[in-house]
Amino acid sequence: VQTCALPIWAEVGPSGATAAGVTPVAGARFLALSSDGRAAYVAEAQGGMIDVIEVPAPGAPKVIYRLDVGPGRVLALAIAARAPVLAVVRKNDVVLVDTSSPLHPARSAPRALPQEIRDGRIAAADVSPDGKLLAIATEQGNQVILLDLGPAGHAPIVGALAVEPEIRESVLCDVAFSPAGDTLWILSGDTPRSLPAGPQPTEIRAVRVGN
């Protein structure tokens, strides 16, 4: 979905998947689904707006609301599996969106990201299932940094791990929390930034997340 110009839907049943429709969204870049499946959130490529799609709308999923999250290109969109938290990650800040009302979410004020992340350039991000931690993979130094989303108004660093410190090129592709939230999966391999240096092995690491 991250490279599509618009969300394409399929209905999965006992006999397999069948086409369920297409939702026109100009410049769609990232998509996240609410935990109850009622809403989908689409970030536009140039940032600024989140399109809220009602998934079980009559006929086909359709846009019913647009949320203005302020200027800035979105670099990642991540949602908590068991908490009403949607994280809109940008170069310099993260905007937390309250999805308690899935079809009419409410944004909070942007929280500045630590300088280490801004300097490191964001490659990928994910939110823990309970909505308390934000994991960000950076291009610089191939690091994964954990941020605490609990304190109001800011997101302090609570942990960091250099995944491939010996490799100078950026090879981190994605990060994802396990359903239990006690493990962080880290995918590394070829990226647009590493290709000039030659092929990289595709690897998945499991990192335990402590208290």
Side-chain angles (χ1 to χ4, degrees):
V1 174
Q2 292 184 358
T3 58
C4 291
L6 42 80
I8 301 172
W9 308 95
E11 183 175 352
V12 180
S15 58
T18 57
V22 175
T23 305
V25 178
R29 180 68 177 86
F30 293 99
L31 179 144
L33 291 170
S34 64
S35 57
D36 63 2
R38 292 179 61 201
Y41 309 105
V42 177
E44 299 176 2
Q46 298 306 314
M49 302 299 296
I50 300 294
D51 293 282
V52 181
I53 297 173
E54 184 180 6
V55 176
K62 63 181 179 180
V63 176
I64 63 165
Y65 184 65
R66 302 189 81 210
L67 179 67
D68 188 349
V69 294
R73 181 169 174 259
V74 177
L75 301 179
L77 191 69
I79 196 164
R82 301 193 303 271
V85 177
L86 173 70
V88 183
V89 183
R90 302 183 295 201
K91 179 181 178 181
N92 296 318
D93 58 33
V94 56
V95 176
L96 298 186
V97 177
D98 184 349
T99 60
S100 298
S101 177
L103 299 179
H104 292 88
R107 57 161 287 183
S108 62
R111 303 183 184 198
L113 292 174
Q115 194 64 46
E116 296 91 326
I117 294 177
R118 285 183 273 174
D119 292 342
R121 300 188 302 274
I122 296 169
D126 195 27
V127 174
S128 60
D130 60 8
K132 295 180 179 180
L133 293 175
L134 176 65
I136 292 183
T138 65
E139 298 178 10
Q140 186 71 32
N142 292 308
Q143 287 195 94
V144 174
I145 300 174
L146 290 180
L147 304 179
D148 184 359
L149 299 179
H154 64 292
I157 294 176
V158 293
L161 174 68
V163 180
E164 291 277 16
E166 71 282 359
I167 298 179
R168 298 184 62 181
E169 302 299 332
S170 172
V171 296
L172 296 191
C173 304
D174 207 355
V175 292
F177 280 94
S178 67
D182 59 351
T183 303
L184 184 68
W185 298 94
I186 304 171
L187 174 66
S188 62
D190 286 327
T191 70
R193 302 165 296 276
S194 71
L195 287 177
Q200 301 292 328
T202 300
E203 298 176 331
I204 297 179
R205 291 170 174 79
V207 177
R208 292 297 181 190
V209 180
N211 294 328

